[in-house]
Amino acid sequence: MGLLEGKRALITGVANERSIAYGIAKSFHREGAQLAFTYATPKLEKRVREIAKGFGSDLVVKCDVSLDEDIKNLKKFLEENWGSLDIIVHSIAYAPKEEFKGGVIDTSREGFKIAMDISVYSLIALTRELLPLMEGRNGAIVTLSYYGAEKVVPHYNVMGIAKAALESTVRYLAYDIAKHGHRINAISAGPVKTLAAYSITGFHLLMEHTTKVNPFGKPITIEDVGDTAVFLCSDWARAITGEVVHVDNGYHIMGVFGREEEIKKEVYGD
Ligand SMILES: NC(=O)c1ccc[n+]([C@@H]2O[C@H](COP(=O)([O-])OP(=O)(O)OC[C@H]3O[C@@H](n4cnc5c(N)ncnc54)[C@H](O)[C@@H]3O)[C@@H](O)[C@H]2O)c1
């Protein structure tokens, strides 16, 4: 029996097969969850419908999280089709491309508002709206963060600030929803080549560096994130809430990078 057998999961943020949300959907499907999907813009509908079909689902609905009416409509859609909900996967972030070019000091007021609205407020809005559907079901919510929330990652800029706010939001929401028996956690994922990632100036260099210096010396996969999301949304994680779990092959534990090669050269001469 799968770890998520009998659970109904809403998956947001699938844009294509490289999306982290796709990796999560794959793992959830393997573990027996029923899936429903949202897409942000009409342009994405066809692809998301095809992807949903691959997971045996025809529950697909538009939800641009910057629009309150879309969020309300999403609730109506789930209410009509399922009547209840066990899991929400929030895998959404956005900031205008220009915001990744200079430094944080160059952040525009509009860019800041958009980044915070789409990447942070959306988690609050979705949680509040969908909460009644989770009543009595010990629901679980998972969102996606990145190390740029904790430390300076050049050019990640306003998204680093948004991710710090997102991680804090997870803790506050964890407190709020605990009284309903629900949990919420964040996965801080290592870099993955996705559409969103390519907005970040110099992303390939970031990816190269992170891959080289993490203890395993390899990149993470969307399946690594998916399998962690399964655990966090399963009953096995029943006492874990408000947590930020790093799925980064251990990158975040490192204090100094590249010393191994320097030491080898100096001490052993190779
Ligand atoms: N790729 C990485 O290296 C990485 C690392 C850590 C965390 N993350 C986070 O993972 C999450 C998913 O990103 P991804 O890397 O899979 O990229 P992605 O581009 O595949 O997914 C981002 C999703 O956000 C959706 N989105 C943007 N604006 C929206 C809106 N207004 N309404 C609804 N949806 C909207 C897009 O349609 C897309 O599906 C994001 O929160 C991202 O910050 C990514």
Side-chain angles (χ1 to χ4, degrees), residues 13 15 19-20 40 63-65 91-93 144-145 163 189 191-192 194-196:
S19 296
I20 290 177
C63 185
D64 175 342
V65 291
S91 188
I92 293 170
L144 272 302
S145 191
K163 291 302 188 193
V192 183
T194 62
L195 269 183

Side-chain angles (χ1 to χ4, degrees), residues 6-22:
K7 292 193 192 287
R8 291 171 168 155
L10 172 70
I11 311 280
T12 68
V14 173
N16 53 42
E17 281 89 349
R18 281 176 290 132
S19 296
I20 290 177
Y22 179 86

